[in-house]
Amino acid sequence: MNQPATQSAQSDVVELRIPCRPEWVALARLAVAAVANRSRFSIEEIEDIKLAVTEACTAVIQHENHGETIEISCETDDGALRFRVHDAGRHVHAPKIAAIDFDEARVAGLGVFLIRTLMDEVTYEVHPDTGTDLHMAKRIPGRTT
């Protein structure tokens, strides 16, 4: 049985690498749900986290120049559960994605809009040589940042 994570000065990091194919996204959903469950999120918040990670993985898979794997890391730190979804592809224009609003989402897809709506923090880092990192965070209930 899973025990809730305890507050400590140390951060815990869980890392997962999946093949960049749709059939592996369910494994990512299960993994982030298990991590979120240990951080005392409600069922609704865990569903939000699962959907955000699913959308992030789907966006990576849909890009034609994606890498062979998707790396996902989860870390509890500073009163939040933080996720990093790494794509080794090199074609994403982060400023366009970061600035998308609801009207643009109708044209460009709802994935980024959903991620921004469901998570408390969303940022992108584009590394020309190694790919793109999507960082997302959800504040842990009852913890201050």
Side-chain angles (χ1 to χ4, degrees):
M1 192 78 168
N2 291 339
Q3 297 295 318
T6 58
Q7 286 184 331
S8 69
Q10 267 186 317
S11 65
D12 296 323
V13 178
V14 175
E15 297 176 317
L16 175 68
R17 180 181 298 159
I18 60 173
C20 194
R21 295 195 306 266
E23 60 267 29
W24 290 98
V25 175
L27 178 62
R29 290 174 52 88
L30 289 171
V32 299
V35 173
N37 184 48
R38 291 184 49 81
S39 296
R40 299 180 187 242
F41 285 100
S42 69
I43 296 296
E44 293 81 16
E45 292 166 325
I46 292 171
E47 290 299 321
D48 289 350
I49 291 167
K50 288 168 55 180
L51 181 55
V53 170
T54 298
E55 290 297 332
C57 291
T58 300
V60 171
I61 292 166
Q62 288 178 338
H63 284 215
E64 59 189 58
N65 294 326
H66 58 72
E68 292 185 19
T69 60
I70 302 171
E71 298 172 10
I72 301 157
S73 65
C74 314
E75 179 178 8
T76 33
D77 192 22
D78 296 330
L81 183 55
R82 300 183 182 283
F83 299 92
R84 180 181 71 94
V85 178
H86 176 76
D87 170 20
R90 297 181 182 100
H91 52 82
V92 174
H93 302 287
K96 283 185 179 178
I97 291 172
I100 196 166
D101 64 18
F102 185 73
D103 289 334
E104 291 172 310
R106 291 179 188 170
V107 176
L110 289 174
V112 173
F113 178 78
L114 284 172
I115 292 169
R116 291 197 160 281
T117 302
L118 299 170
M119 303 300 279
D120 296 319
E121 298 172 27
V122 178
T123 59
Y124 291 87
E125 290 179 14
V126 177
H127 308 281
D129 295 331
T130 59
T132 303
D133 289 327
L134 167 61
H135 298 273
M136 305 178 283
K138 187 87 168 170
R139 283 186 286 280
I140 297 172
R143 291 194 188 174
T144 58
T145 56

